[in-house]
Amino acid sequence: MSLISTETEAMHRQDRGAKKPIRLFRNLNAKVAALPMIFTALVIFIGCTLWTIYHSFTKSRLLPAPEKWVGLDQYERLWSTRRWLVSIENLVIYGACTLVLSLVIGFTLAALLDRKIRGENIFRTIILYPFALSFIVTGLVWQWILNPEFGIQSIVQSLGWERFAFDPLNNGQIVIYGILIAGIWQGSGFIMVIMLAGLRGIDQEIWKAARVDGIPAWKTYIFIVIPMMKPVFITALVMIASGIIKVYDLVVAQTSGGPGIASEVPAKYVIEKMFEAQNLGQGFAASTMMLVSVLVVLIPYIYLQLGGSRRG
Amino acid sequence: MTTLLKGFLASTVLTTVASVSSAVELEVTHWWTSGGEAAAVVEFANAFNATGNTWVDGAIAGSGGTARPIIISRILGGDPMHATQLNHGRQAEELVEAGLMLDLTDVAEAEGWKEIVNPSSLLDSCTVDGRIYCAPVNIHSWQWIWLSHKAFADAGVEVPGNWNEFIAAAPALEAAGKVPLAMGQQPWQTAGAFDVMTIALAGPEVWTDVVMNKNADAVQGAAYTEVFEAAATARTLAANSNVQDWNLATNLVITGQAGGQIMGDWAQGEFALAGKTAGVDYTCLPGLGVNQVISTGGDAFYFPKQDDPAIEAAQKELAALLLSPEVQVAFNLKKGSLPVRGDVDLSTANDCMQKGLEILASGAILPGSDQAFSPDTQSEIKDLMVEFWNDSTISASAAQERYADIIANAD
């Protein structure tokens, strides 16, 4: 936060110093160079988003049909489709658990590594390594690990606990937790690295002061260090949140939505309605709902960022 | 070098003159990638290469569900292949209406497709506004149950002759530690199996009323109640077959771990590959042994429109070739499917194919559900079926209610 606020302050100072007529032409080269990107942002991101939202109100099938306006029909059908409701429910469970667990595990691992342990590089590499795998690979690996005939269940059973049962991927009630385990395994290393960078940014003087006052390390972390790491947490939060909303490949690789429709997620619904069911309108309606959920995450973030700097 | 090139050019010109049309490379996409399927495609490729043109194979791994979006997005994206497999029916309907597909009517007339294609519904599925846009190449029927002789022998019961005997034999199979019914859990398999049970148990008339005429009231009738209850029974019988892919489920039947599987005639390829003989190691019952009817879905080739007249000529040449008698026989024997023309000799086909041919000749045929429902409605049915087959808390009547809703809104 402090970095961003000093930047904006610097910009404000420059703005005040500049004469009005020159302002548009200042840094002309840079502005011209930025034009393609501005154009891309306007046309590709905003333009295509608006196009998608518009077509979600039409009865487009395989091809976009802007003239077949049907109002909110697609949304009504969407919210009365059981598969979509199950998808949303799964996203909420997966999202809430991922958010909390990634932050807690990521921060704990970072704090442990930050205690100046021997072989930090090795541990850091090991923990970060799953992040180098794609979700497809992660999903397949965990499909095998959680397979009752080859994975954890059979290993524990062969060790003597013969009635041990752990088969989440074939049980519709808990299948989403099986996916969650894989997601956390893949993603928490990355959060750890972000957290570790944040911890390294904490001034050593603060640790010394806390030690002089006799505050135990865990209290220092919770009451002093974490509040100081707010920007790092917000960054991590946005990373995790965007990862949650777009979760797709992990599910496809691990369960392909099964058993039944028990592990369906919204992104999968969008893809399948658009391309397999040849119903663009329905897919667009679902993706618009996903956009809304992204905005729900992003707007508070932008508000926090901008609001913070204004106060600063 | 130059002389070599000249010589090459000269010979090309010569062959061009000789075969009228020039030698062209055609890229052909399809999703026939399993062993038997790939062998069947080679028959097409060889026949086409023999005409002096070149077949550039563009196989897309994965099922139709994976391949179709790729094929369609390439056509829409302005990078069309020269020919592509699709299931005839309504998958390409909008592409044809958008004018992206080559009109094959003149080929069809020259080759007399109207007279030779049997059943004629196959050609109807290729026809939009009186013009023909695709070349049907085979008939695949869903209406089969495959029974393992070994499983029934182990359980000490006779191999059943129809669905009801199969249900009656199920407890004995379970007692012998067998899975009575093998069922892969992919949506298209459960939806397909349900469709088969409907035709067998409710009868073709009720099925036609619901699927072709979209009569939702018929779904509420007693015939469909019976079907949904049978499906609920089948669900319990299949509860322990924890497989996803259809060929893994077929493998359970081949190895005698499962009593039977409801699957289309492409399962035959798996039995053949495992060296099993129909009537000795396994039995196939069309229409679950109740109603001997087969549906005539299948594959067809579409030819996306191109600017180049040379390519267009080659596309038409390929279209004609696909339906020629020799190619039809060679291809369908490898593929295990039935030929689209009734005038070819398939005496070398095995028992199950012969049964299929007999039913086809007797005219007890129905269109495939690909031809009846839009992909959108099909995906809704799949969603319902995959949920129903996996969640035993959904009662037969609740599923029937939801199925009626889908039919009421179907198109």
Side-chain angles (χ1 to χ4, degrees):
Chain A
M1 189 67 45
S2 57
L3 193 84
I4 291 163
S5 56
T6 32
E7 260 177 25
T8 33
E9 268 167 34
M11 272 162 59
H12 283 306
R13 268 199 300 278
Q14 281 171 352
D15 287 350
R16 275 195 294 276
K19 296 245 159 30
K20 258 190 182 165
I22 317 169
R23 199 179 155 201
L24 183 67
F25 299 106
R26 215 151 48 90
N27 281 338
L28 192 64
N29 291 348
K31 280 175 182 158
V32 170
L35 272 179
M37 196 55 223
I38 293 171
F39 180 76
T40 310
L42 285 180
V43 174
I44 310 240
F45 296 131
I46 299 180
C48 292
T49 306
L50 292 177
W51 187 90
T52 303
I53 295 174
Y54 173 82
H55 281 85
S56 73
F57 294 105
T58 65
K59 198 174 162 57
S60 299
R61 304 304 288 264
L62 177 61
L63 304 170
E67 70 286 351
K68 292 187 191 158
W69 182 267
V70 290
L72 286 169
D73 277 11
Q74 298 285 10
Y75 290 89
E76 272 170 33
R77 177 173 150 193
L78 182 67
W79 286 103
S80 60
T81 303
R82 236 187 85 82
R83 182 171 158 191
W84 174 254
L85 299 176
V86 170
S87 303
I88 292 290
E89 191 189 327
N90 280 336
L91 190 69
V92 170
I93 296 174
Y94 178 85
C97 295
T98 307
L99 205 63
V100 173
L101 288 176
S102 293
L103 285 177
V104 169
I105 294 173
F107 184 79
T108 314
L109 288 174
L112 290 175
L113 278 185
D114 195 40
R115 301 310 294 168
K116 300 191 176 62
I117 56 163
R118 195 172 296 159
E120 187 201 310
N121 284 340
I122 297 170
F123 283 112
R124 205 175 48 204
T125 309
I126 292 174
I127 296 170
L128 186 59
Y129 213 79
F131 190 67
L133 301 180
S134 73
F135 264 139
I136 294 285
V137 176
T138 309
L140 289 176
V141 166
W142 279 90
Q143 191 187 43
W144 285 98
I145 296 178
L146 295 176
N147 184 314
E149 278 162 47
F150 309 105
I152 295 177
Q153 180 175 310
S154 87
I155 292 172
V156 175
Q157 281 177 353
S158 68
L159 290 175
W161 289 277
E162 280 176 7
R163 301 178 68 188
F164 176 83
F166 184 65
D167 184 13
L169 295 190
N170 288 318
N171 180 344
Q173 304 290 322
I174 55 168
V175 62
I176 193 67
Y177 298 101
I179 291 169
L180 179 70
I181 294 173
I184 299 281
W185 177 80
Q186 204 259 3
S188 50
F190 178 58
I191 300 303
M192 178 203 75
V193 172
I194 295 179
M195 293 289 179
L196 195 58
L199 284 173
R200 292 285 147 84
I202 302 288
D203 196 337
Q204 286 301 313
E205 297 302 317
I206 289 171
W207 280 105
K208 284 179 191 159
R211 217 170 293 137
V212 169
D213 285 345
I215 304 169
W218 66 271
K219 268 195 174 172
T220 316
Y221 272 119
I222 291 176
F223 295 109
I224 301 173
V225 173
I226 291 184
M228 289 179 74
M229 281 171 60
K230 194 175 138 199
V232 175
F233 269 89
I234 291 177
T235 307
L237 204 75
V238 171
M239 294 274 179
I240 300 170
S242 65
I244 291 168
I245 284 167
K246 68 183 186 197
V247 63
Y248 167 75
D249 27 12
L250 186 60
V251 178
V252 169
Q254 222 178 334
T255 63
S256 34
I261 56 167
S263 59
E264 291 289 346
V265 285
K268 191 162 174 286
Y269 184 90
V270 172
I271 299 269
E272 279 173 18
K273 288 298 156 188
M274 280 168 70
F275 297 111
E276 225 191 295
Q278 302 186 356
N279 190 341
L280 286 180
Q282 181 67 196
F284 288 159
S287 61
T288 305
M289 293 318 300
M290 286 177 69
L291 176 71
V292 170
S293 63
V294 172
L295 290 181
V296 166
V297 176
L298 268 187
I299 288 173
Y301 170 67
I302 295 166
Y303 181 78
L304 271 176
Q305 287 284 33
L306 296 182
S309 68
R310 212 173 295 137
R311 270 197 305 279
Chain B
M1 182 66 209
T2 12
T3 42
L4 197 75
L5 196 69
K6 269 182 190 160
F8 177 72
L9 283 175
S11 67
T12 322
V13 171
L14 278 178
T15 42
T16 311
V17 174
S19 68
V20 183
S21 71
S22 55
V24 178
E25 287 191 356
L26 289 195
E27 186 199 0
V28 188
T29 52
H30 56 85
W31 58 87
W32 287 323
T33 48
S34 88
E37 290 172 339
V41 173
V42 168
E43 296 293 338
F44 280 158
N46 289 345
F48 188 60
N49 289 339
T51 65
N53 296 306
T54 312
W55 170 290
V56 180
D57 201 72
I60 301 171
S63 60
T66 318
R68 273 192 300 272
I70 299 174
I71 292 169
I72 288 169
S73 64
R74 272 191 62 183
I75 297 173
L76 290 180
D79 175 30
M81 62 296 293
H82 301 116
T84 185
Q85 172 205 5
L86 283 172
N87 299 115
H88 45 228
R90 302 180 55 187
Q91 288 166 355
E93 203 173 64
E94 284 193 56
L95 294 175
V96 170
E97 281 164 8
L100 292 165
M101 293 299 186
L102 181 67
D103 186 346
L104 300 173
T105 313
D106 50 342
V107 182
E109 278 167 3
E111 299 282 320
W113 286 2
K114 276 224 167 69
E115 290 76 48
I116 57 169
V117 173
N118 174 49
S120 58
S121 66
L122 292 177
L123 208 54
D124 295 344
S125 295
C126 287
T127 309
V128 177
D129 297 332
R131 313 295 291 176
I132 291 166
Y133 290 92
C134 67
V137 295
N138 65 2
I139 301 168
H140 267 308
S141 53
W142 248 108
Q143 284 66 30
W144 300 84
I145 184 166
W146 308 87
L147 301 167
S148 164
H149 285 200
K150 180 174 182 291
F152 287 97
D154 290 352
V157 285
E158 285 280 301
V159 177
N162 61 44
W163 176 253
N164 292 329
E165 287 176 32
F166 176 75
I167 297 289
L173 285 170
E174 271 176 338
K178 310 275 180 193
V179 179
L181 187 65
M183 173 67 74
Q185 295 302 339
Q186 287 165 344
W188 65 271
Q189 298 180 44
T190 42
F194 176 79
D195 205 43
V196 172
M197 294 172 74
T198 314
I199 296 176
L201 303 176
E205 294 79 27
V206 184
W207 181 89
T208 308
D209 198 21
V210 170
V211 174
M212 303 309 290
N213 306 335
K214 321 280 190 289
N215 182 352
D217 295 334
V219 180
Q220 305 280 14
Y224 261 72
T225 309
E226 194 195 329
V227 174
F228 273 96
E229 273 160 12
T233 314
R235 179 172 67 185
T236 34
L237 298 183
N240 289 323
S241 75
N242 280 330
V243 289
Q244 289 287 328
D245 294 314
W246 68 270
N247 47 344
L248 298 183
T250 309
N251 194 46
L252 291 179
V253 180
I254 292 173
T255 55
Q257 297 171 59
Q261 181 192 17
I262 300 175
M263 186 45 66
D265 54 11
W266 47 92
Q268 195 162 250
E270 297 293 308
F271 284 98
L273 217 63
K276 303 286 179 187
T277 315
V280 180
D281 303 305
Y282 67 99
T283 293
C284 52
L285 299 176
L288 304 184
V290 186
N291 274 316
Q292 300 234 343
V293 178
I294 59 174
S295 67
T296 54
D299 303 294
F301 274 85
Y302 285 80
F303 300 85
K305 223 175 230 172
Q306 309 282 337
D307 297 332
D308 190 341
I311 290 177
E312 197 177 300
Q315 284 176 318
K316 289 184 172 169
E317 200 177 341
L318 176 59
L321 185 74
L322 293 177
L323 271 89
S324 67
E326 311 79 52
V327 175
Q328 275 290 306
V329 172
F331 171 78
N332 284 305
L333 282 179
K334 290 260 168 68
K335 184 84 166 65
S337 49
L338 304 178
V340 293
R341 45 195 299 166
D343 58 350
V344 293
D345 177 34
L346 273 183
S347 49
T348 48
N350 70 10
D351 279 10
C352 289
M353 268 177 95
Q354 298 291 1
K355 278 191 203 177
L357 284 169
E358 270 168 40
I359 297 172
L360 192 63
S362 76
I365 48 168
L366 291 171
S369 46
D370 280 342
Q371 288 154 291
F373 290 129
S374 68
D376 186 36
T377 305
Q378 281 190 313
S379 94
E380 283 188 286
I381 294 173
K382 280 184 204 162
D383 285 350
L384 168 64
M385 284 304 153
V386 75
E387 200 188 342
F388 174 74
W389 281 82
N390 282 281
D391 185 349
S392 53
T393 59
I394 301 173
S395 68
S397 56
Q400 189 177 3
E401 199 74 34
R402 283 172 58 188
Y403 191 77
D405 271 351
I406 294 173
I407 296 298
N409 297 316
D411 57 359

